[in-house]
Amino acid sequence: QSVLTQPPSVSGAPGQRVTISCSGSSSNIGAGYDVHWYQQLPGTAPKLLIYGNNNRPSGVPDRFSGSKSGTSASLAITGLQAEDEADYYCQSYASGLSARVVFGGGTRLTVL
Amino acid sequence: EEQLVESGGGLVQPGRSLRLSCAASEFTFDDYAIHWVRQAPGKGLEWVATISRKSDSIGYADSVRGRFTISRDNAKSSLYLQMNSLRGEDTALYYCAKDRADDGYYGLDVWGQGTTVIVSS
């Protein structure tokens, strides 16, 4: 059971727009901590896709965007491409001794 | 290119110990916090531990606290994870990952390729 809740899967046709939600609580996202997003292509290490809620590292296409509101965050992908098929994870932080870094359970994106 | 390379994984019996290493290159290692993150077969990412740049702030997941110890040697640009009292549920691919800043709150921007730990009798 992950601290942050993501849908297990989403899908979309090439060219379409999809969003992936990440739901937290007042002890993590809602406490003001930033949300980051990672893309994990099959058989590879995760790659930072969005940092600080809505910032793209150099080299990440502007088709990817992030947002945060209250206790939730979202990743949007526009102009869907076959190469976007991957697992996506949100990540934030939690206060207290029990956890510091928290991940969502991951969302498998299928490009139809 | 900034790089992290993990090593030290392998097959180990339950209850035994293992020490993972992570060697950094092409960036100033002691400027950044570093994390261990693991991924069990077919599962999602699970945070294991974080160490700040000067080792003055360390955090562990509940699942490993008291059994695992994270440490770093900035002179050697290396990170370590001492894993004791290993359990079957520790079986995973273990990644080290660099934070974008010194205290571990800014996103993990460089990841190694991972080292596999299998705990089984």
Side-chain angles (χ1 to χ4, degrees), chain A residues 29-48:
Chain A
I29 297 175
Y33 292 113
D34 282 344
V35 177
H36 316 297
W37 290 89
Y38 303 87
Q39 177 193 59
Q40 186 175 33
L41 297 170
T44 69
K47 167 191 169 184
L48 181 64

Side-chain angles (χ1 to χ4, degrees), chain B:
Chain B
E1 180 184 354
E2 298 176 335
Q3 191 173 16
L4 295 167
V5 178
E6 303 92 338
S7 60
L11 174 63
V12 61
Q13 293 179 329
R16 303 297 292 265
S17 298
L18 205 60
R19 189 193 196 207
L20 305 184
S21 299
C22 171
S25 60
E26 303 303 324
F27 67 92
T28 305
F29 183 73
D30 55 8
D31 276 350
Y32 301 97
I34 309 289
H35 310 262
W36 285 104
V37 176
R38 68 185 181 184
Q39 188 168 32
K43 302 297 184 181
L45 302 176
E46 180 189 13
W47 171 68
V48 174
T50 299
I51 186 167
S52 61
R53 61 178 290 211
K54 295 182 178 180
S55 304
D56 52 358
S57 178
I58 289 175
Y60 297 98
D62 280 349
S63 57
V64 307
R65 186 177 294 112
R67 299 188 299 122
F68 290 12
T69 301
I70 188 173
S71 62
R72 63 190 295 164
D73 184 337
N74 288 341
K76 295 182 178 180
S77 295
S78 293
L79 174 77
Y80 307 101
L81 186 67
Q82 177 66 43
M83 304 186 295
N84 299 331
S85 303
L86 283 162
R87 306 167 179 167
E89 54 264 38
D90 296 319
T91 294
L93 181 61
Y94 283 73
Y95 294 104
C96 62
K98 167 189 164 290
D99 200 275
R100 292 180 58 252
D102 61 351
D103 62 358
Y105 287 92
Y106 292 88
L108 287 61
D109 65 343
V110 180
W111 294 66
Q113 84 290 346
T115 187
T116 298
V117 173
I118 300 173
V119 183
S120 175
S121 54

Side-chain angles (χ1 to χ4, degrees), chain A residues 13-18 62-64 76-84 111:
Chain A
Q16 285 190 333
R17 178 181 187 270
V18 298
D62 59 6
R63 301 187 296 104
F64 295 90
I77 310 172
T78 59
L80 204 57
Q81 300 180 3
E83 67 210 48
D84 299 332
V111 180

